[in-house]
C-alpha cells in the first residue's frame, strides 16, 4: 500500500533515467511555481523507495517547480519498489493527465518500455504506455538487433559453403 507524505526534495533521486519525457517544459515549471507561491498544493508526485533511494517516477515538472519556489519538500505518493519500478511507472505516466506528451515523449517512452520489458507483448506495452500496438511494433523492430547474414557457413565436416544462393537456385541449376 502506498503512503502519501511530504518528502524532502534533496532525498528524491532524479538521476536514474526515470524521466520518460524528452525534456522539461520550463513554462510549465514556471506556471506550477506561481501556483505553489500562491499557496496552491499541487497533486502529489509518485516516488519509489527501494530501502536506500527514493526515485522520482511521475512529477518532474512539479519537483522542479517546488525547487524553484524555494521549498524543501513536496507531497509524494511513496511506493515500495526499485529504480526499474520507477522507470516502468514513468513510461505509463501522463497518458491521461498532466502536461500532454509530445510525439517524441511517446516514442521515448516506448523505447524505454521495450528496454525494460522486451519480453512483454506489443499490446501489453502499448496499453501501459498509452500508444498503439503498431507504434510499439515499429520501435521493437528498430531496436531488435539485426542478425548479420554470413555469406559462408561451416558444416560439421569443416567444409565452408557459400550461402548466397541457398534457396535461389533456378530449376536448370538443380
Amino acid at each position: 500500500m502506498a503512503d502519501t507524505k511530504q518528502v524532502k526534495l534533496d532525498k528524491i533521486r532524479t538521476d536514474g533515467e526515470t524521466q520518460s519525457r524528452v525534456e522539461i517544459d520550463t513554462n510549465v515549471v514556471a506556471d506550477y511555481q506561481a501556483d505553489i507561491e500562491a499557496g496552491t498544493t499541487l497533486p502529489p508526485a509518485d516516488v519509489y523507495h527501494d530501502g536506500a533511494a527514493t526515485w522520482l517516477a511521475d512529477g518532474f515538472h512539479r519537483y522542479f517547480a517546488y525547487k524553484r519556489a524555494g521549498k524543501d519538500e513536496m507531497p509524494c505518493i511513496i511506493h515500495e519498489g526499485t529504480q526499474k519500478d520507477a522507470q516502468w511507472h514513468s513510461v505509463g505516466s501522463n497518458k491521461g493527465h498532466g502536461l500532454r506528451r509530445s510525439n517524441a515523449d511517446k516514442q521515448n517512452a516506448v523505447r524505454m518500455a521495450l528496454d525494460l520489458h522486451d519480453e512483454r507483448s506489443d499490446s501489453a506495452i502499448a496499453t501501459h504506455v498509452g500508444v498503439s500496438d503498431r507504434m510499439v511494433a515499429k520501435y521493437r523492430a528498430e531496436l531488435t538487433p539485426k542478425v548479420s547474414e554470413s555469406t559462408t557457413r561451416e558444416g560439421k565436416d569443416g567444409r565452408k559453403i557459400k550461402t548466397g544462393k541457398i534457396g535461389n537456385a533456378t530449376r536448370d541449376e538443380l
Side-chain angles (χ1 to χ4, degrees), residues 6-174:
Q6 296 285 57
V7 177
K8 298 274 187 198
L9 295 175
D10 63 357
K11 299 294 182 194
I12 298 173
R13 302 273 309 261
T14 60
D15 62 338
E17 298 181 6
T18 59
Q19 168 60 288
S20 62
R21 289 191 186 274
V22 174
E23 62 185 13
I24 297 295
D25 185 325
T26 56
N27 292 325
V28 171
V29 172
D31 289 346
Y32 288 175
Q33 176 187 356
D35 290 342
I36 293 164
E37 290 170 346
T40 302
T41 301
L42 300 179
D46 284 279
V47 297
Y48 282 75
H49 186 69
D50 62 12
T54 302
W55 302 100
L56 184 58
D58 182 14
F60 281 83
H61 287 92
R62 287 169 276 168
Y63 170 84
F64 289 112
Y66 275 99
K67 281 188 90 143
R68 282 183 52 177
K71 304 296 182 185
D72 64 345
E73 60 186 19
M74 67 185 278
C76 294
I77 298 171
I78 304 169
H79 306 271
E80 288 184 27
T82 64
Q83 176 184 0
K84 186 175 179 178
D85 294 327
Q87 290 168 328
W88 182 246
H89 182 115
S90 176
V91 300
S93 295
N94 299 117
K95 62 185 175 190
H97 73 281
L99 176 64
R100 210 177 155 127
R101 296 181 299 175
S102 68
N103 286 338
D105 291 337
K106 292 175 192 175
Q107 293 163 5
N108 194 55
V110 169
R111 287 184 182 107
M112 285 176 65
L114 286 166
D115 188 45
L116 290 165
H117 290 293
D118 70 341
E119 78 284 358
R120 294 193 181 185
S121 70
D122 291 350
S123 178
I125 289 175
T127 298
H128 182 74
V129 176
V131 297
S132 71
D133 298 10
R134 290 183 319 277
M135 183 178 188
V136 176
K138 173 186 173 190
Y139 288 103
R140 184 185 301 274
E142 287 178 9
L143 294 172
T144 302
K146 302 287 186 223
V147 177
S148 64
E149 295 203 25
S150 174
T151 57
T152 60
R153 198 177 286 159
E154 187 173 318
K156 283 193 253 180
D157 60 0
R159 284 186 321 135
K160 293 188 183 201
I161 60 170
K162 293 188 179 188
T163 59
K165 289 190 176 184
I166 293 177
N168 295 325
T170 66
R171 186 175 185 103
D172 292 338
E173 293 175 309
L174 296 175

